[in-house]
Amino acid sequence: MTAERIKVLRAAERPATAWLNGGGVTREVAGFPVGAGPADFDWRVSLADVDSAGPFSAFPGIDRVITLVEGAGMALTVDGAEHVIDAPYRPFAFAGDAATDCRLLGGPVVDFNVMTRRGRTTADIALADAPRTVDVAPGTAVLLVCLSGTATVTTATVTTEAVATEAVTTKAGDATALTRFDAALLHGPGTHGLRPEGVTAVLAFRTAAPNDEPSAQPDA
């Protein structure tokens, strides 16, 4: 059986979950373990439409990074300190267990959210607006999310290996096109090329397994 080297997650196929307070909706891009709830995920990535001001839900033990991708921006009051987020594509990190309130600066916004479980998962976050290579190290999950414009992902190395008991074969030069808010989950160690026509988030997650063994790659 052959597994996909690049798993494409199309924005058009992503369901929206309404907030309980009616202030917006969230669309989950990807998470690990697949299907895990708020108390169980190691990492989670989502896009949110924020329509009105109000408090953020608390996520004990979670580190958060939020990035404005559309709209005039917002002011977040985190444990009493106000932080103005009015420039797109500038990540802002804060603790999910902090008391956080949101004030919109000029109407609805769309924000990009990355959550990781503190002490278990780390995330390296980069925003690419020029061609670059993307290396997937052993024990690491890499997620690409096109935040504006389009992006093309190509495979730069030819490899055959076992990933989650499946044989993975990749041809150099294979290309995958992403449009706005589409994502690509990169499986298995290797090197890829990224050519963004706009801004694409490059997220590398490493989750510590028991005895610090590399965790299995998610199959979302």
Side-chain angles (χ1 to χ4, degrees):
M1 185 175 183
T2 301
E4 292 175 283
R5 185 70 163 188
I6 301 175
K7 178 68 174 180
V8 179
L9 308 170
R10 296 295 181 192
E13 300 171 0
R14 203 171 289 152
T17 301
W19 298 356
L20 293 177
N21 65 7
V25 299
T26 295
R27 294 175 175 86
E28 182 171 325
V29 177
F32 183 76
V34 176
D40 304 317
F41 67 79
D42 291 334
W43 58 265
R44 182 174 182 261
V45 176
S46 63
L47 286 150
D49 298 344
V50 185
D51 297 327
S52 60
F56 278 16
S57 298
F59 287 90
I62 298 298
D63 289 325
R64 300 189 61 176
V65 179
I66 193 168
T67 303
L68 178 70
V69 297
E70 186 176 297
M74 53 192 164
L76 295 186
T77 301
V78 182
D79 279 346
E82 185 176 83
H83 305 268
V84 175
I85 302 171
D86 59 358
Y89 313 122
R90 293 187 181 177
F92 171 71
F94 63 105
D97 20 30
T100 303
D101 193 77
C102 171
R103 175 172 60 86
L104 298 179
L105 301 179
V109 302
V110 177
D111 60 50
F112 178 61
N113 299 278
V114 179
M115 298 186 186
T116 53
R117 192 160 302 278
R118 191 176 305 131
R120 177 160 173 76
T121 302
T122 58
D124 291 328
I125 302 173
L127 297 177
D129 59 4
R132 54 163 290 179
T133 59
V134 178
D135 295 316
V136 184
T140 301
V142 173
L143 181 71
L144 309 178
V145 185
C146 180
L147 298 180
S148 71
T150 61
T152 302
V153 186
T154 57
T155 302
T157 58
V158 180
T159 57
T160 301
E161 61 183 297
V163 175
T165 72
E166 296 180 340
V168 176
T169 302
T170 307
K171 289 182 179 180
D174 285 354
T176 300
L178 305 178
T179 58
R180 193 179 190 212
F181 296 154
D182 286 347
L185 187 61
L186 309 183
H187 289 273
T191 300
H192 300 265
L194 172 64
R195 182 176 293 276
E197 299 292 338
V199 177
T200 294
V202 181
L203 313 174
F205 299 97
R206 189 179 191 280
T207 298
N211 302 319
D212 200 32
E213 301 259 342
S215 62
Q217 294 295 315
D219 187 16

